[in-house]
Amino acid sequence: MSKHLFITLFAFFGISTAASAQSNLAQEIGVYAGPVTLQSDFGERSNFDTNVGNSGFGIGIMHFINFSAANNRESFFTEHFKVRSELAFSRTNLKHYGQWVERKPDGLFAQQLKNMHASSTTLGLGAQLEFSPFMKIHDFENTIGSFSPYGSVGFQVSYYSTKIGSHLGDITLPNVTPGKYLTPSDGRAHGFSSESGVVLSATAAIGVHYKLTTMSDLMFETRFQMYNSDWIDGLNPNKDIYKENKSNDWQVWFNFGYIYYLEF
């Protein structure tokens, strides 16, 4: 694990805590978990079996800076925006699905695809600006049983680790792996790589908060995360040759969470 990620983590939360304390801003903490699906070079694009089969799980912890709760001077910003920081973990196992795997008769190419497999793990640190357009934050906090839809945009810095192989044997051999993935790509010896690294990603989410008690909320959200790398899954066929390989890896999260309001 990269020590730089942990240094960034502690610095990030330390600055957030110090800033909110000095400004007399309210804080909230929370946890979430749910399924994730990694949209990658494994499987056929826009295929139902790919989307379901290449799903994993994600968990995270959240910290909110609430500009409204400790502020009696209402403004549009304080009543509709929060800043959310988080640490998120995900893991997904990957296989090929779709028409090329299911082709009949079952030839060598289909067998090679069927036996390829990978695992991808990410640990991300990031921030989002959360916007609640329909309900003031003060009104939501004072109305148990209320719902407050929201949208958010943000970024993450993520450490990723991926491992790729084949049940047929040595993945570097042409009788084990299709030639598409043996061609050098993006500075690697092949179009596949078991590696670790640090990547950036942009995030966007829509969700809803539910006021459970005076000091706690429930939440559900769907979040889209686009990475600036195509190696998160361990596959990246040469884009100059294989034009269909045009998009970087991206992930969809379905998060269920619990949020608790801190008192100062």
Side-chain angles (χ1 to χ4, degrees), residues 131-147:
F131 173 51
S132 302
F134 303 116
M135 192 173 191
K136 289 183 177 181
I137 292 175
H138 263 135
D139 293 340
F140 173 72
E141 291 170 341
N142 294 323
T143 311
I144 294 175
S146 60
F147 291 88

Side-chain angles (χ1 to χ4, degrees), residues 12-194:
F12 190 88
F13 282 107
I15 292 171
S16 296
T17 301
S20 59
Q22 292 176 5
S23 303
N24 195 32
L25 300 176
Q27 300 184 67
E28 306 162 18
I29 58 172
V31 295
Y32 63 81
V36 299
T37 177
L38 182 59
Q39 306 292 312
S40 71
D41 297 300
F42 268 92
E44 183 180 356
R45 190 177 302 275
S46 302
N47 176 268
F48 178 79
D49 290 335
T50 297
N51 294 336
V52 173
N54 287 338
S55 295
F57 70 93
I59 58 175
I61 57 175
M62 304 174 287
H63 171 264
F64 292 85
I65 296 178
N66 185 335
F67 301 96
S68 173
N71 190 341
N72 293 321
R73 293 177 298 175
E74 291 189 6
S75 70
F76 184 82
F77 181 82
T78 61
E79 285 298 328
H80 292 277
F81 288 90
K82 293 181 181 180
V83 174
R84 166 177 157 184
S85 54
E86 63 184 323
L87 179 66
F89 172 88
S90 72
R91 179 177 174 83
T92 309
N93 293 322
L94 302 162
K95 293 176 59 179
H96 284 290
Y97 297 90
Q99 61 175 321
W100 302 108
V101 175
E102 298 166 358
R103 293 181 71 180
K104 302 296 181 183
D106 192 3
L108 176 62
F109 181 67
Q111 282 296 319
Q112 290 175 327
L113 290 179
K114 283 181 181 179
N115 283 279
M116 289 184 70
H117 60 87
S119 64
S120 177
T121 302
T122 67
L123 179 65
L125 175 68
Q128 300 180 57
L129 184 62
E130 188 174 294
F131 173 51
S132 302
F134 303 116
M135 192 173 191
K136 289 183 177 181
I137 292 175
H138 263 135
D139 293 340
F140 173 72
E141 291 170 341
N142 294 323
T143 311
I144 294 175
S146 60
F147 291 88
S148 179
Y150 68 88
S152 69
V153 293
F155 70 95
Q156 276 196 17
V157 180
S158 300
Y159 172 87
Y160 74 94
S161 178
T162 181
K163 295 181 180 180
I164 187 168
S166 172
H167 295 300
L168 295 177
D170 186 350
I171 195 172
T172 64
L173 299 178
N175 64 321
V176 172
T177 303
K180 175 180 180 178
Y181 303 115
L182 294 177
T183 306
S185 175
D186 194 26
R188 279 74 165 178
H190 306 99
F192 62 85
S193 178
S194 293

